[in-house]
Amino acid sequence: MSSLRMPQSFVQRLGVETGEAVLRYELLEEQAHALGRMGGKVEAALAQLREHEGEGRAEVLKAAADAVWCFFVQREVMGLRDRAAIIAQYQIPREVLVRLGVR
């Protein structure tokens, strides 16, 4: 005896969620959370950079550049490639961008 399954037209009309749809939703949700966490790290690193003057600034600048670079990579992996909007939104200083090679 073969197994029975609901006709595909009923599945779409009734809005039954497939395992694939649930998995896709959870993956997108995790990507959004990861991007949010990375954005928070960028904000914290840039705030530290703005407050830090004098000795030891090179280390703080390197940490800010690393955080921004990771954020850009995370966004590119997700297909979000518009850096100009992010640079403006986070007010990323030129001294950080120069270390990333962004023009």
Side-chain angles (χ1 to χ4, degrees):
M1 186 163 186
S2 66
S3 61
L4 298 174
R5 69 176 200 182
M6 189 179 299
Q8 294 302 311
S9 60
F10 289 151
V11 171
Q12 291 173 353
R13 193 168 3 145
L14 296 175
V16 176
E17 292 183 354
T18 64
E20 180 184 357
V22 172
L23 178 61
R24 185 176 306 138
Y25 176 82
E26 289 181 7
L27 288 173
L28 289 173
E29 185 178 39
E30 181 54 37
Q31 285 179 338
H33 285 297
L35 194 60
R37 287 190 301 268
M38 191 59 65
K41 289 180 183 180
V42 167
E43 288 175 348
L46 291 175
Q48 248 186 342
L49 181 64
R50 288 183 190 103
E51 294 172 2
H52 198 86
E53 292 293 330
E55 198 170 318
R57 183 170 170 80
E59 291 84 22
V60 177
L61 182 58
K62 182 182 180 326
D66 288 345
V68 170
W69 181 81
C70 290
F71 188 57
F72 282 168
V73 169
Q74 181 77 26
R75 287 178 47 82
E76 286 182 13
V77 166
M78 295 176 64
L80 306 170
R81 292 183 170 81
D82 183 19
R83 290 183 175 183
I86 296 303
I87 291 169
Q89 179 181 350
Y90 285 91
Q91 299 174 354
I92 301 172
R94 185 135 183 90
E95 63 183 335
V96 172
L97 296 175
V98 167
R99 282 163 178 72
L100 303 176
V102 177
R103 293 183 193 350

